[in-house]
């Protein structure tokens, strides 16, 4: 595992999982949200984002945390390992809500409310994003380790085995 993607529904705990992977492997970790969002809650251009992602995936070692479906295929082509956190919708909603008011290293601001648009994005994720993610995973599964966790316990058990 030298080039790792951590993907899944917002609120699933991708960033927490990715940090634990970083700590266990020593690989550099990049949060796609930090590449896309500016502290003033605006975003960089798609061109600037793509250029930065392209630069990162040319390296020999990395962990990339985040979905950004538009760039997922180019990241899948370059990775050797994928972790998909495919948890029940209710868990993801609770996960996203639980981080309100907490400062995080994976987002350039502190969320002060559960934004209704973001909540809707989570609600729509299983219908709008997940089928496309599974389709791309099917296309690029060969030659890669693909781990799909359906519960936090599955991910926790994996991390305990990595950390020991």
């Amino acid at each position: 595992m030298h080039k790792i993607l951590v993907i899944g529904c917002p609120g699933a705990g991708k960033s927490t999982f990715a940090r634990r992977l970083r700590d266990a492997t020593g690989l550099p970790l990049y949060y796609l949200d930090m590449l896309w969002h500016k502290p003033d809650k605006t975003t960089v251009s798609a061109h600037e984002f793509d250029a930065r992602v392209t630069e990162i995936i040319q390296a020999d070692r990395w962990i990339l945390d985040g979905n950004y479906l538009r760039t997922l295929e180019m990241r899948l082509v370059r990775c050797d390992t994928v972790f998909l956190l495919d948890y029940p919708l209710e868990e993801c909603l609770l996960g996203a809500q639980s981080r309100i008011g907490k400062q995080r290293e994976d987002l350039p601001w502190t969320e002060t409310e559960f934004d209704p648009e973001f909540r809707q994005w989570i609600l729509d994720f299983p219908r709008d994003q997940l089928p496309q993610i599974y389709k791309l995973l099917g296309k690029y599964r060969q030659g890669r380790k693909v781990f799909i966790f359906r519960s936090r316990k599955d991910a926790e058990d994996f991390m305990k085995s990595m950390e020991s």
Side-chain angles (χ1 to χ4, degrees):
M1 291 192 308
H2 297 288
K3 301 175 181 182
I4 301 171
L5 298 182
V6 180
I7 57 179
C9 186
K14 294 182 300 297
S15 299
T16 301
F17 186 83
R19 278 191 292 280
R20 289 181 72 185
L21 275 176
R22 174 196 62 200
D23 294 346
T25 64
L27 295 170
L29 170 58
Y30 303 93
Y31 300 108
L32 294 181
D33 281 345
M34 291 295 284
L35 301 178
W36 178 247
H37 295 287
K38 296 179 183 180
D40 66 358
K41 299 186 181 182
T42 61
T43 60
V44 299
S45 70
H47 176 76
E48 185 178 339
F49 179 79
D50 293 358
R52 185 66 177 116
V53 170
T54 299
E55 178 185 325
I56 292 166
I57 65 175
Q58 299 303 316
D60 293 330
R61 299 168 34 95
W62 42 261
I63 299 169
L64 278 170
D65 160 47
N67 293 312
Y68 292 81
L69 196 57
R70 186 179 57 75
T71 64
L72 181 56
E73 189 165 15
M74 71 185 234
R75 290 178 282 129
L76 278 169
V77 167
R78 298 290 303 201
C79 78
D80 59 33
T81 308
V82 179
F83 292 94
L84 170 59
L85 308 185
D86 185 5
Y87 300 164
L89 186 57
E90 299 75 27
E91 272 190 61
C92 297
L93 286 166
L94 286 172
Q97 191 165 13
S98 72
R99 63 190 190 201
I100 304 299
K102 296 179 181 168
Q103 189 171 9
R104 301 162 33 202
E105 70 180 68
D106 57 304
L107 195 64
W109 65 79
T110 301
E111 297 167 300
T112 57
E113 65 175 333
F114 198 175
D115 178 63
E117 187 177 322
F118 182 56
R119 185 178 190 284
Q120 191 60 52
W121 178 263
I122 295 171
L123 289 170
D124 295 340
F125 186 86
R127 181 194 70 219
D128 295 346
Q129 303 277 315
L130 205 51
Q132 294 178 65
I133 289 171
Y134 273 107
K135 184 177 180 181
L136 286 168
L137 285 178
K139 183 176 179 180
Y140 293 102
R141 183 174 217 111
Q142 190 170 347
R144 287 162 189 78
K145 295 177 192 166
V146 177
F147 298 89
I148 299 173
F149 299 132
R150 307 235 184 246
S151 71
R152 293 187 193 280
K153 183 185 180 322
D154 291 346
E156 180 63 25
D157 291 346
F158 177 86
M159 283 311 306
K160 283 182 180 176
S161 71
M162 283 270 312
E163 293 165 344
S164 62

